[in-house]
């Protein structure tokens, strides 16, 4: 997030009629325009005292912000948490549940039943990645031209039905086609929800929610394995259907009602929402909240604007902190080293990496939480990238003690903890353009999938396992470059803001001069108490 500058003091002097204390404490000013008994208009001003939460709420607010909000605001945040945020988690869970089931099915009987070869398992992933790569950017254009509340759940419905169709697959070619379309449909979820979440939450509320959204994929990967194991044990052969086929059917049965719920839960954007769970006061309040921090609503994405987007530095400076480090991610090869040591059983080789996943979840949420509390994104992104940078340098040395190598491999899982913070940072840095917020993430995912299609094969060839002399060095180099791009992105955001005549508000966000002067309005009355 951009820190406030001296320019704020100069601009706020133009708005002397608006109390600085009102802006910072959230005091609402109400004007009663009703006529008195003599039919004369009178203006009555009532000033509410700032809300002071109970001590227990204050303490809890450090972990989850809504605890410390005033009652009306808390009810509004809880409502959008229940519908928008909770649904985004469920959607991302079924995405990874449906994405990872092919690998589980392959080792649970699919290979033998369909007479598959090893290379075909890799091609299942390749066709999915091609679909995902192709669909990432176009999906954000479609969301702009239609409605997220229709397009996203429709994509979820399509891939849920197709996952069930995998149960009827007779050969590899059928799976190739289905996996391609599933990847195409799933490409909309991550950038789509990143855009939606960034359109409803304040900066100090965004990071932790993006973090939980991203780490929900780890839970989905665990559930996928548990479902496959349970279904195979209890359903294999029932009604003449193999267990791996039942797993696809049950995955679809789980996904379908969640997809259908999306038509009700996804609210589009504050200025365009038709969500039935928001009344008129809620909708007005949602628009006012974003206007107060200078976050612009969506606009039609024309060809000219799209061309301007790709010709601007924005999508490219964002890729440095968002993507470059991840190009060399090496955490996925930990289990190969564990297996090579001959110290652990097959069960432990599969269980130990889950400790790395736990570390990743803790670091991801902690990093996002601290960035929300402090209002600073860059330092935490930089600090987290330092972790895999150090780990890969140590692994490149290789000749270290067994315990140290084990610890470094586990710590290496923290490598992607910075991404939710980077996305939150982009939501603030590019808040003047809603379409840019969606496109930079979609474009980033396209680059990520394009690189992951070939780079791991070069850096971490199977025949060199478990020691990759070149791989760990190149991975360390990628993370080193990513470290350099963090201050570059920070500088670019500040430079662009000044170039475009922006000023900084009390949250450190670059806004138009007139947006700095927007009064708080009727906050307390804007939220319903349903």
């Amino acid at each position: 997030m951009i820190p406030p500058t001296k320019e704020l003091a100069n601009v706020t002097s133009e708005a002397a009629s608006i109390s600085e204390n009102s802006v910072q404490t959230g005091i609402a000013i109400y004007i009663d325009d009703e006529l008195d008994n003599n039919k004369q208009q009178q203006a009555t001003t009532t000033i509410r005292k700032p809300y002071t939460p109970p001590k227990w709420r204050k303490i809890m607010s450090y972990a989850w912000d809504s605890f410390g909000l005033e009652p009306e605001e808390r009810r509004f945040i809880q409502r959008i948490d229940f519908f928008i945020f909770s649904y985004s988690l469920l959607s991302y869970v079924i995405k990874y549940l449906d994405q990872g089931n092919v690998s589980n099915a392959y080792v649970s009987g699919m290979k033998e039943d369909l007479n598959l070869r090893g290379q075909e398992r890799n091609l299942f992933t390749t066709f999915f990645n091609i679909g995902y790569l192709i669909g990432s950017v176009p999906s954000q254009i479609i969301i702009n031209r239609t409605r997220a509340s229709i397009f996203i759940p429709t994509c979820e419905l399509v891939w849920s039905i197709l996952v069930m169709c995998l149960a009827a697959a007779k050969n590899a070619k059928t799976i190739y086609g289905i996996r391609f379309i599933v990847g195409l449909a799933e490409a909309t979820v991550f950038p789509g929800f990143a855009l939606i979440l960034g359109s409803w939450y304040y900066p100090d509320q965004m990071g932790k929610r993006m973090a939980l959204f991203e780490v929900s994929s780890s839970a989905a990967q665990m559930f996928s394995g548990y479902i496959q194991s349970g279904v195979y044990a209890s359903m294999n052969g029932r009604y003449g259907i193999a267990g791996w086929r039942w797993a696809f059917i049950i995955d679809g049965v789980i996904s379908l009602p969640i997809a259908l719920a999306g038509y009700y839960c996804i609210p589009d954007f504050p200025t365009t929402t038709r969500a039935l769970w928001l009344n008129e006061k809620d909708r007005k309040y949602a628009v006012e909240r974003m206007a107060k921090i200078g976050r612009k609503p969506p606009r039609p994405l024309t060809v000219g604007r799209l061309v301007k987007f790709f010709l601007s530095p924005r999508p490219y400076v964002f890729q440095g902190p968002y993507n470059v480090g991840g190009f060399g991610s090496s955490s996925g090869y930990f289990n190969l080293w564990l297996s090579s040591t001959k110290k652990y059983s097959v069960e432990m080789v599969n269980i130990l990496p889950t400790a790395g996943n736990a570390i990743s979840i803790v670091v991801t949420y902690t990093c996002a939480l601290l960035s929300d509390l402090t209002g600073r994104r860059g330092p935490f992104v930089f600090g987290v990238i330092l972790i895999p940078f150090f780990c890969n340098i140590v692994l490149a040395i290789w000749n270290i003690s067994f315990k140290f190598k084990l610890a470094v491999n586990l710590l290496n899982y923290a490598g992607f903890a910075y991404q939710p913070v980077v996305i939150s940072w982009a939501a603030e840095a590019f808040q003047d353009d809603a379409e840019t917020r969606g496109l930079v993430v979609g474009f980033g995912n396209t680059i990520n999938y394009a690189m992951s299609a070939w780079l791991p094969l070069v850096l971490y060839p199977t025949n060199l396992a478990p020691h990759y002399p070149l791989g760990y060095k190149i991975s360390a180099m990628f993370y080193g470059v990513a470290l350099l791009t963090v201050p570059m992105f920070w500088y670019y955001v500040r430079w662009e803001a000044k170039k475009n005549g922006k000023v900084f508000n009390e949250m450190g966000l670059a806004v138009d001069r007139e947006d700095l002067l927007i009064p708080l309005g009727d906050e307390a009355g804007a939220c319903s108490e349903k």
Side-chain angles (χ1 to χ4, degrees):
M1 188 186 299
I2 310 169
T5 65
K6 294 181 180 179
E7 192 169 359
L8 173 61
N10 297 331
V11 176
T12 51
S13 64
E14 301 173 11
S17 61
I18 302 173
S19 168
E20 181 181 350
N21 290 332
S22 296
V23 174
Q24 293 179 348
T25 63
I27 296 176
I29 299 176
Y30 302 92
I31 305 297
D32 186 357
D33 292 328
E34 295 191 10
L35 298 176
D36 63 5
N37 293 333
N38 297 323
K39 304 294 186 180
Q40 295 178 344
Q41 187 173 4
Q42 293 181 344
T44 303
T45 302
T46 304
I47 301 180
R48 292 195 312 159
K49 295 181 179 180
Y51 172 71
T52 302
K55 187 175 181 180
W56 73 270
R57 283 193 171 277
K58 180 68 174 177
I59 294 172
M60 292 295 292
S61 69
Y62 290 113
W64 196 254
D65 47 72
S66 62
F67 281 101
L69 300 176
E70 62 179 14
E72 294 85 358
E73 168 80 352
R74 183 166 65 248
R75 278 188 283 270
F76 179 81
I77 295 299
Q78 288 174 340
R79 185 169 296 123
I80 63 176
D81 274 348
F82 181 80
F83 287 101
I84 305 176
F85 179 60
S86 297
Y87 183 81
S88 71
L89 294 181
L90 287 174
S91 179
Y92 206 48
V93 165
I94 65 169
K95 172 188 180 297
Y96 268 89
L97 185 66
D98 295 340
Q99 180 178 327
N101 52 20
V102 168
S103 296
N104 292 322
Y106 184 86
V107 297
S108 301
M110 176 194 280
K111 178 182 179 182
E112 293 76 16
D113 290 354
L114 301 186
N115 194 27
L116 302 176
R117 294 168 292 178
Q119 66 183 25
E120 288 169 329
R121 177 183 180 277
N122 294 330
L123 287 173
F124 295 157
T125 301
T126 299
F127 275 92
F128 175 88
N129 289 346
I130 292 172
Y132 200 98
L133 189 153
I134 292 173
S136 291
V137 171
S139 68
Q140 300 312 294
I141 298 174
I142 295 172
I143 284 177
N144 177 264
R145 307 301 294 183
T146 57
R147 280 184 175 272
S149 60
I150 296 174
F151 182 65
I152 292 178
T154 299
C155 288
E156 294 172 341
L157 200 60
V158 167
W159 89 56
S160 298
I161 293 171
L162 287 175
V163 164
M164 297 179 74
C165 290
L166 284 171
K170 302 297 183 183
N171 52 59
K173 290 183 179 179
T174 301
I175 299 176
Y176 294 156
I178 291 176
R179 290 286 287 172
F180 171 78
I181 301 174
V182 169
L184 203 64
E186 288 190 11
T188 187
V189 173
F190 189 85
F193 276 114
L195 173 60
I196 291 173
L197 292 173
S199 299
W200 287 86
Y201 289 103
Y202 276 169
D204 59 353
Q205 301 165 344
M206 180 69 178
K208 64 181 75 67
R209 288 169 175 81
M210 256 330 290
L212 291 178
F213 174 64
E214 185 155 325
V215 300
S216 64
S217 62
S218 299
Q221 291 168 357
M222 293 169 59
F223 289 142
S224 181
Y226 297 151
I227 289 173
Q228 184 69 59
S229 176
V231 168
Y232 189 83
S234 60
M235 301 289 288
N236 187 35
R238 183 167 295 189
Y239 304 112
I241 301 175
W244 65 268
R245 295 185 188 273
W246 274 115
F248 286 125
I249 295 171
I250 291 174
D251 282 349
V253 169
I254 293 172
S255 301
L256 278 173
I258 295 175
L260 292 172
Y263 291 106
Y264 181 79
C265 292
I266 300 175
D268 295 310
F269 305 99
T271 55
T272 61
T273 184
R274 298 183 300 190
L276 296 177
W277 48 271
L278 290 169
N279 62 26
E280 286 301 318
K281 288 184 177 181
D282 292 328
R283 295 171 189 176
K284 178 183 176 183
Y285 180 57
V287 173
E288 290 175 351
R289 290 178 80 248
M290 293 299 103
K292 280 177 281 188
I293 63 173
R295 191 156 295 171
K296 301 300 183 183
R299 296 178 293 156
L301 186 59
T302 62
V303 174
R305 288 189 64 210
L306 190 61
V307 171
K308 184 179 178 181
F309 167 78
F310 282 107
L311 292 179
S312 74
R314 284 185 165 188
Y316 310 105
V317 296
F318 172 75
Q319 301 313 316
Y322 179 65
N323 252 339
V324 172
F327 290 160
S329 176
S330 57
S331 58
Y333 305 95
F334 176 39
N335 57 353
L336 296 178
W337 173 71
L338 286 174
S339 179
S340 71
T341 63
K342 309 298 182 183
K343 293 178 177 288
Y344 301 103
S345 64
V346 173
E347 291 79 8
M348 286 303 297
V349 168
N350 287 305
I351 291 173
L352 275 174
T354 63
N357 291 329
I359 291 172
S360 177
I361 291 171
V362 171
V363 174
T364 298
Y365 187 76
T366 301
C367 177
L369 176 64
L370 291 175
S371 72
D372 279 355
L373 291 173
T374 62
R376 298 290 183 267
R377 306 295 189 194
F380 294 98
V381 174
F382 191 89
V384 172
I385 295 176
L386 274 175
I387 297 174
F389 176 63
F390 167 78
C391 291
N392 281 278
I393 289 176
V394 172
L395 291 172
I397 297 171
W398 194 253
N399 293 320
I400 56 178
S401 69
F402 173 82
K403 290 183 178 180
F404 189 27
K405 191 178 296 183
L406 179 64
V408 167
N409 270 292
L410 288 171
L411 193 59
N412 199 24
Y413 276 78
F416 284 103
Y418 60 87
Q419 284 195 337
V421 183
V422 174
I423 293 173
S424 302
W425 195 3
E428 299 155 11
F430 304 143
Q431 68 167 7
D432 63 324
D433 192 325
E435 288 64 49
T436 291
R437 300 200 303 272
L439 285 170
V440 291
V441 179
F443 183 55
N445 286 352
T446 299
I447 295 174
N448 184 288
Y449 273 78
M451 295 294 288
S452 64
W454 62 274
L455 191 58
L457 302 177
V458 175
L459 298 183
Y460 299 97
T462 304
N463 62 301
L464 293 181
H467 181 207
Y468 306 96
L470 179 64
Y472 292 123
K473 292 177 183 177
I474 300 299
S475 292
M477 180 201 73
F478 277 125
Y479 282 112
V481 173
L483 286 172
L484 296 176
T485 65
V486 174
M488 289 173 59
F489 183 68
W490 178 85
Y491 177 81
Y492 169 78
V493 171
R494 291 179 58 82
W495 172 83
E496 185 188 54
K498 292 180 180 180
K499 174 177 173 288
N500 294 331
K502 305 281 187 181
V503 292
F504 300 105
N505 63 15
E506 71 277 5
M507 289 185 176
L509 302 174
V511 300
D512 293 330
R513 186 174 295 264
E514 58 271 20
D515 288 336
L516 194 65
L517 309 180
I518 296 177
L520 289 180
D522 189 358
E523 283 196 0
C527 294
S528 70
E529 298 187 14
K530 293 186 294 183

